[in-house]
Amino acid sequence: MTSDARWVVPFRDGDRTQRSLLGGKGANLCEMTNLGLPVPPGFIVTTEACRSYRAEGGQVPGDLFRQMDEALTELEEATGRRLGDPEAPLLLAVRSGAVFSMPGMMDTVLDLGSTPVTHPGLVALGGELFAWDARRRFLEMFGKVVLGVPEEAFSQVLDRAIAEAGVKDERFLTPDQMAQVVSGFRAAIRDAGVILPEDPREQLRMAVEAVFRSWDGDRAVAYREMEGIDHDLGTAVNVQMMVFGNLNQRSASGVAFTRDPATGENVPYGDFLTAAQGEDVVAGTRLPEPLATLADDFPEAHEELVANLDRLEAHYRDMCDIEFTIEDDRLWMLQTRVGKRSALAALNIAMDLVDEGTITREEAVRRVTPVQVERLLHPRFADRKVPVLTTGLAASPGAATGKIVFSSEEARDRGRAGEQVILVRGETSPEDLEGMVASVGLLTARGGLVSHAAVVARGLGKPAVCGASALDIRLEDQTVRVGETVLHHDDVISIDGTTGKVAVGEVELVIPKDDPRLDTLLEWADQFRDIHIFANADTPDDARRALAAGAEGIGLCRTEHQFLGERLPLIRQIILSRSLEQEREALIPLEAAQRQDFEELFQVMDGKKVVIRLLDPPLHEFLPSLVDLKVKHALGTLDAEGERLLEAAVRLHEHDPMLGVRGIRLGVLRPAVYAGQVRAIIGAAVARKEAGGDPRPEIMLPLISTAHELAWGLNIVHSTAREVMDAAGVEVDYTTATMIETPRAALRAEHLAPQVDAFSFGTNDLTQLVFGLSRDDVEVTYLPSAMELDLMPIQPFATIDRNGVGVLVEMATRAGRGVNPDLVTGICGEHGGDPETIRFCHELGMTHVSASASRIKVARLAAAHAALAQSGPDASA
Amino acid sequence: MTSDARWVVPFRDGDRTQRSLLGGKGANLCEMTNLGLPVPPGFIVTTEACRSYRAEGGQVPGDLFRQMDEALTELEEATGRRLGDPEAPLLLAVRSGAVFSMPGMMDTVLDLGSTPVTHPGLVALGGELFAWDARRRFLEMFGKVVLGVPEEAFSQVLDRAIAEAGVKDERFLTPDQMAQVVSGFRAAIRDAGVILPEDPREQLRMAVEAVFRSWDGDRAVAYREMEGIDHDLGTAVNVQMMVFGNLNQRSASGVAFTRDPATGENVPYGDFLTAAQGEDVVAGTRLPEPLATLADDFPEAHEELVANLDRLEAHYRDMCDIEFTIEDDRLWMLQTRVGKRSALAALNIAMDLVDEGTITREEAVRRVTPVQVERLLHPRFADRKVPVLTTGLAASPGAATGKIVFSSEEARDRGRAGEQVILVRGETSPEDLEGMVASVGLLTARGGLVSHAAVVARGLGKPAVCGASALDIRLEDQTVRVGETVLHHDDVISIDGTTGKVAVGEVELVIPKDDPRLDTLLEWADQFRDIHIFANADTPDDARRALAAGAEGIGLCRTEHQFLGERLPLIRQIILSRSLEQEREALIPLEAAQRQDFEELFQVMDGKKVVIRLLDPPLHEFLPSLVDLKVKHALGTLDAEGERLLEAAVRLHEHDPMLGVRGIRLGVLRPAVYAGQVRAIIGAAVARKEAGGDPRPEIMLPLISTAHELAWGLNIVHSTAREVMDAAGVEVDYTTATMIETPRAALRAEHLAPQVDAFSFGTNDLTQLVFGLSRDDVEVTYLPSAMELDLMPIQPFATIDRNGVGVLVEMATRAGRGVNPDLVTGICGEHGGDPETIRFCHELGMTHVSASASRIKVARLAAAHAALAQSGPDASA
């Protein structure tokens, strides 16, 4: 760096676009200054200076102090006060100001310039106590931050003084007592073996260096690690004239928002403390008053403040928050930025700003995040700090309160009778479905985010906390224990499936209402996105919910859900059948039932695509648990049917069911089952067509890993469809798809794509196979440790792993389109509702993503954000 | 095709290099003709003609019949006989002759030219019976092959005639009776509604076309599918003068080998039938005489034959087999080819030919196949056709006979006492180890080729048949049933782990001896290969066996095997430990035990690399089965320790253990276990070094899927090793490796390679993950069906799947070497012993393959073959 470099920028020379040079706080101080708002004058030591300091191993840039001196001289002229001047002393605030907010992570020195020499001037300004108090504050901050004296050295002195004076806190000390404290602080610094320079210019230089150093402090480094902030950015330092909210009773400090950050209502919001500094407001030892009362106490300052807030919001075209100080009835603006807000406020402010003509619809869409939409959709605990019993996996969003029941039958009966019950189980199986439907929420001790309980709950739109491994459920005495706590059957608990929290007793819930403004925002969002949003929906009810949420089709209908409940005996007959004849007979009623399901589904989804996946799970999933059967067998309590089921369960038992006989493999071993499903689908479509409908089925084959498997499956599909259509004399426009969920399918995409109309990436299974990681088994064991130790780049089941899974998805998409340019591509599964994953899909030019009904709205917005991100930054930013 | 094409080639115009044009048989007939051997003259209709016929939808090429006529005229001139000539009739044999042998799959017409017109000439040649018999043979073959008359039409006539004559078979019919049969055959043809043309030229044309058509017959197509022979090759047709081994008692037909095809002994070998045609020898209705006695009956022909055999072997530079006919004391050579031989003969012949100076060492290496080496190493059933009770998976090669025992304790006690017992189990677990060691063989009803039983058996070099799912083992009455057969405890069974066969009772076994010639051949092979052969070996005993088989190092030492047997209680203590303190205490004796193991291992493998994989399997594998514990718990028979084990089994239970907490994940959750292992390894190496040894440990981390996981694991390795070495004041040259067994590791190879010295591809797991297929679960369910339906390109657990798994291996190898040019690469696991996989590894330039001890010798040869294949075809071929 040459000495010509500009290390120092006065507030009047900067603006808010210079964030990376001036830091966020400094850039906005410049902006306010240039708007003519009453900002205490000052200058900024730039991030560039900090970077140079770090690069040179802790040497300040050669010209820095000269430039600071120049800026200081200018500041003295502007304020009519001088640093170190006994009569009109200038006091300075020296604050860090990084590019990205790092609240509380770095150091600040206030009241710099309060020295024995300037004491008379300070007394003249605010009296004896004020003067000694400023000295005290300075010595403590400078001592700690710049000289490295331990905090205890100061707190001991102060505590002793307070105790000796017999008062509540330091505000009630007399000037003499405060003078004693100052003298004690000076002794503490001396005793620490460090030297306090008396020259305030020297102090200023040291304070600036100390702020530079604090960038590399342990806490700051750890915070940046956590937030992913580049360590090389460095911090700016804001040097500004002190103003005193604690000067007298005509002084105050406060914070304000241009609108209500909780609701978005267009009224200024905030609070303040009379006769206090900003740090006193933050410390929270005194209860602040609401901003509205400022009009009573400081009518002129209030009027000016409200006008400034209007001015700032119009200028920033968004809700802002500010810090202000009133010194002897004069208003000073200390900070501003675009304010943080609740989800509801984000929505309302964006919509209001559009209504007010301040921002465009595109800007409104950009300003609401998918996470905020998620919050707007589901009930949640009203109090974030409610004491929790235990925390499990956030398996299905929403919160609920209800009585504990341990059996699905009881849940079914009492739930249908209108009682609010929460089903608490070790894990769930298909047999539990009716009980799950009738409960207000689900809580399981085992299983991950793709466990049966979690998947079904999301499909039903019901809150669920899964894998709460601290739960010790004892059916023998109908209790559930967590450590020392024992809960009984019928005790009330509350669960929050958005956070995974479980609480004892009834917890107050926030229940969002359907918000037409959200629907309007999402309709706008739909105009910006170019990726379709489909739903994972298995039943007509699921489909209705998905449509209501704005789904454009069904991207995944899992047919196994048609085999549960009252149909379970039918599929068990198929499993137990000992001849093709028996199998055929058992298939007849099942096929008829499925056909009815599909007819209703096509009716609900008339004119929209419905992607139906043929049976995927291993057959033993339709049997009772092998352990239960074996135990009953040993106890001699199994009937003849039970013994047959046991025999089948033993025969079908698998070491790793995820990798066993499922998907197309099941089809190969039980071709009649697949053929029956195709007959039901095409038969239903024929019936809908005859009734004047517009059914659009797509038949999808699961767990393909070779081109020949796909060809084999498609042959069954096409030949069966042909038979049905020929028999009916009606043609149906059906299409076909293959799941890409094994790495091999992705690697062989070139040979799969010519055979089908569509690829659907099953990123749940693909992630499990790429990592060799069973979500069910590691989500509550290995993954938490791995995330903590930073061994995983991301939570790969929440967000697509671009570096591994994503590489295969990209290879397959490219290879598939290379041989079949019309190939439809999409993803289904949990990732389909994740914003970052949607962005990835958008970048790959996928046709659609398919998400569970409860995430459709989130996905619509995320898709718009993905498209807007690609089209360039927000013009208003 | 123009009419200039050469569709017909006389024997004198071809040679053995023209196999693809002339077919195998034809090319060798040409070769023998040109060697001056007595081949009945003839010509070949080329495969090109057949291909044209097929391409034109069954139209013979325009010029074919004219060229056939020309060749026939020439043939008539050469033989002095003419087709259809009443006095000197020429009879023809019309035989198929494909490029690759398709024995018995295609059609033949003999005695063509025996018609009513030529009858007098045939009588003159061989008498009335001979003449009628030739007519009969012709009519039957032409009727069946060319005219499509069902075989029964002829057999009925013949059977009736034999019955009426009251004789044993057709050879004992009188001329009149045979004339009746001929007349009956003609009637049968007529009755079938087809017309037999009387012109033998027309018959010849039809016969050639029939042979063409037989190329696309069902059996031939199925055979080619099975053998992977291209359907478009087509067949040649050999048209040749008939010679008659059945002319009189001075005639005979036989087959001969230039050496003994069973042992390789250098004496002609074969057998013959007097007064018989070749097909009579094949039919097996008469017992042929050994070739040696030919010298007594036909001394001149014998002498000539032996000379011809010598001639052929010298010319082909290999053992040949031939078919010959003696017609009225005159020897004719009907066919030759390089002969098929037993494994033992292959070895002996190759070694003898080198000794004789006929072939080079390289040729000898090329001429013995890995499969033959495999056969030479293990006991097998002496009789291939022994009746089998059932067939399971060929899990560990070798055969054994012994008494059935159902419990490992009993197997251990009786086996140690010297009894031959076969342990029969549903499946095995680590608790069964001692019983497995003491048994002569293992038989399980469940589990695939990587089940516990299979892996352990291969490690122990013990025969095993696994997954024999027809077995119904009933421990309550100590029986095992297969269908109706009931076997009891102590009954004798025999198993062949090379074929998967299980037989009742004692079966005679062939027990190969150590053959120094094999070792010599393999030493030669070692000079041609450039890929190192390492062993999978877990114990010092394994290592000794591997060294004896020629292993150059240990590529995979699975440390979990150190936790079995008497150490099982120690690892269980670790699992049950409730504090780090308890865990540490339990680790102490385990660490000491491991250290001893490693010391002995390093001593055995002094100066050779030993790649040690840290603990891989999930901890619940060291617990009793959850089902057993639950059952005992329900029955109230579980003691306090049992209840604790049950609690742990429930806690550690996994849905998909393959994808659960194992490998590095286990290390992350139990870092003390990994650190203890590293201390044991480095401690052992230090001790060996202090004792003057040269230990070369490589520490390998399993189931890596991210670069950070690897870094985390390596940090434990290096920091622990540092501590141990510093404490001892001894430096050890250890290296590190990562398994590449998840697809993600392969995809991220670029980020793993800089951290380690070596990649070891765990292709077992990689294959399972790439296909999403658990070997244990699908090997006896889905895979057999998939192979049958041709849905899998290969058996992916036997031979590496080049199109899927191989793509990842190649990507990873390339990426890894790109950033770390010195990277050592190898594969371990089942594929390491497979010749095709070794070829793949060789092509990728891998450093080594690691195979189980029992496959080391096979792998050495396969590696040489891979190198020789790349260096070009056999110069002698």
Side-chain angles (χ1 to χ4, degrees), chain A residues 6-320:
Chain A
R6 195 157 175 215
W7 306 120
V8 172
V9 175
F11 289 170
R12 61 170 164 69
D13 287 354
D15 66 51
R16 65 170 158 159
T17 65
Q18 293 174 292
R19 204 181 169 88
S20 62
L21 180 68
L22 305 180
K25 186 190 197 89
N28 283 319
L29 284 171
C30 295
E31 191 77 14
M32 283 201 292
T33 301
N34 289 316
L35 279 176
L37 297 186
V39 176
F43 57 86
I44 303 162
V45 179
T46 64
T47 57
E48 191 61 42
C50 178
R51 287 194 289 272
S52 168
Y53 176 84
R54 295 176 76 240
E56 300 296 323
Q59 279 290 113
V60 294
D63 200 37
L64 171 61
F65 291 152
R66 195 194 56 74
Q67 294 187 16
M68 275 170 57
D69 283 345
E70 252 179 46
L72 182 60
T73 304
E74 192 185 321
L75 182 56
E76 289 172 334
E77 282 164 13
T79 58
R81 295 174 164 272
R82 290 175 52 225
L83 195 62
D85 188 294
E87 283 165 26
L90 174 66
L91 264 55
L92 294 175
V94 181
R95 293 189 179 91
S96 65
V99 179
F100 299 103
S101 173
M102 294 170 61
M105 288 301 127
M106 289 190 319
D107 289 327
T108 294
V109 176
L110 300 180
D111 297 300
L112 191 145
S114 60
T115 66
V117 173
T118 60
H119 192 74
L122 292 174
V123 172
L125 185 67
E128 278 284 345
L129 183 60
F130 169 79
W132 286 119
D133 191 44
R135 298 266 307 272
R136 170 188 71 87
R137 290 175 190 249
F138 167 72
L139 287 172
E140 179 171 350
M141 278 191 266
F142 195 89
K144 272 159 50 185
V145 170
V146 183
L147 302 176
V149 179
E151 183 161 15
E152 302 78 57
F154 300 110
S155 58
Q156 278 171 9
V157 172
L158 187 60
D159 291 348
R160 196 167 51 234
I162 290 169
E164 283 173 2
V167 296
K168 188 174 153 234
D169 62 43
E170 69 271 21
R171 282 178 297 142
F172 302 100
L173 295 177
T174 63
D176 281 355
Q177 287 164 339
M178 194 61 92
Q180 285 299 315
V181 171
V182 167
S183 145
F185 279 17
R186 293 187 71 102
I189 290 172
R190 224 172 18 246
D191 293 348
V194 289
I195 291 168
L196 170 71
E198 293 299 332
D199 175 4
R201 289 187 183 243
E202 177 63 21
Q203 291 170 358
L204 176 60
R205 289 168 185 163
M206 290 173 75
V208 167
E209 276 195 71
V211 173
F212 284 171
R213 283 197 306 270
S214 73
W215 176 258
D216 288 306
D218 290 344
R219 284 189 313 154
V221 170
Y223 183 85
R224 290 197 299 273
E225 288 283 350
M226 195 171 70
E227 296 288 315
I229 298 174
D230 185 350
H231 293 303
D232 289 333
L233 291 176
T235 184
V237 186
N238 299 288
V239 179
Q240 192 175 14
M241 178 184 84
M242 283 292 296
V243 290
F244 301 101
N246 61 343
L247 186 67
N248 52 34
Q249 288 301 318
R250 296 309 306 155
S251 301
S253 288
V255 296
F257 293 80
T258 58
R259 305 186 183 218
D260 186 329
T263 65
E265 197 187 350
N266 190 3
V267 289
Y269 177 94
D271 45 32
F272 71 97
L273 274 177
T274 302
Q277 282 287 56
E279 62 261 40
D280 304 323
V281 182
V282 174
T285 44
R286 285 162 62 196
L287 194 67
E289 291 177 77
L291 191 65
T293 64
L294 190 69
D296 303 334
D297 301 340
F298 299 89
E300 282 175 27
H302 178 258
E303 193 175 339
E304 187 183 348
L305 175 65
V306 169
N308 288 349
L309 291 177
D310 284 351
R311 185 83 188 279
L312 280 172
E313 192 178 275
H315 184 70
Y316 280 86
R317 302 168 63 248
D318 202 351
M319 183 195 86
C320 296

Side-chain angles (χ1 to χ4, degrees), chain B residues 608-626:
Chain B
K608 296 194 168 61
K609 190 188 270 195
V610 178
V611 183
I612 300 166
R613 184 178 71 186
L614 300 188
L615 193 62
D616 182 51
L619 288 180
H620 50 79
E621 282 203 6
F622 299 102
L623 297 175
S625 113
L626 177 63

Side-chain angles (χ1 to χ4, degrees), chain B residues 785-817:
Chain B
S785 295
M787 300 299 294
E788 197 181 321
L789 293 169
D790 199 23
L791 305 184
M792 288 274 161
I794 39 121
Q795 213 287 25
F797 296 115
T799 296
I800 198 161
D801 159 43
R802 282 180 182 246
N803 295 333
V805 177
V807 171
L808 286 181
V809 172
E810 190 173 349
M811 283 169 66
T813 305
R814 190 166 300 150
R817 287 205 197 111

